[in-house]
Amino acid sequence: MDVLPLTLRDDPAPDEAQQLDAVFFALSDPVRRAILERLDAGALLVSEIAEPFEISLQAVSRHIHVLVRAGLVRQARSGRVSRCTLDAAPIYAAALWMNRYAKYWQAGFDALAQHLLRIDETRGSTIQDKGDE
């Protein structure tokens, strides 16, 4: 009996696959996504990141640690103070990977565009007909 390989030729390399796994895992949690949104505005201290959340500072720190392991956040420590910044490069890599599957939803967008174009053409001819009266 032949055993199929676990990876296909076009699949990412093992290190890349682990990085993608870490990014998707990090993005799977709403608190971590909210942290990334806050960091999109600029670097913040961990205490500043934690302000809007109704969870402990320790819980926020654990979420930040997951984001750091995924490469989405960089942490600079100075004594007891920790400043975090967003690193969006891993999100870009994940977006490139997901883009392989755009063909599955692109056809729907193309059909919607054609439908909207027909509506616009119908409205345009209706307006012209009324102007001719």
Side-chain angles (χ1 to χ4, degrees), residues 35-85:
I35 289 171
L36 293 177
E37 288 176 22
R38 289 182 51 74
L39 289 174
D40 188 43
L44 293 171
L45 300 175
V46 171
S47 58
E48 294 171 325
I49 293 170
E51 283 175 6
F53 300 107
E54 294 182 10
I55 58 176
S56 69
L57 183 60
Q58 183 180 11
V60 170
S61 292
R62 283 194 300 261
H63 283 295
I64 291 170
H65 183 68
V66 170
L67 293 167
V68 168
R69 280 195 328 242
L72 296 167
V73 169
R74 299 208 184 276
Q75 243 181 333
R77 295 183 187 269
S78 177
R80 293 177 52 129
V81 176
S82 180
R83 181 173 294 280
C84 298
T85 55

Side-chain angles (χ1 to χ4, degrees), residues 19-20 23-24 27 36 67 70-72 86-98:
Q19 177 68 27
L20 280 172
V23 169
F24 286 124
L27 295 174
L36 293 177
L67 293 167
L72 296 167
L86 174 66
D87 183 352
I91 296 173
Y92 178 72
L96 287 176
W97 181 86
M98 286 188 300

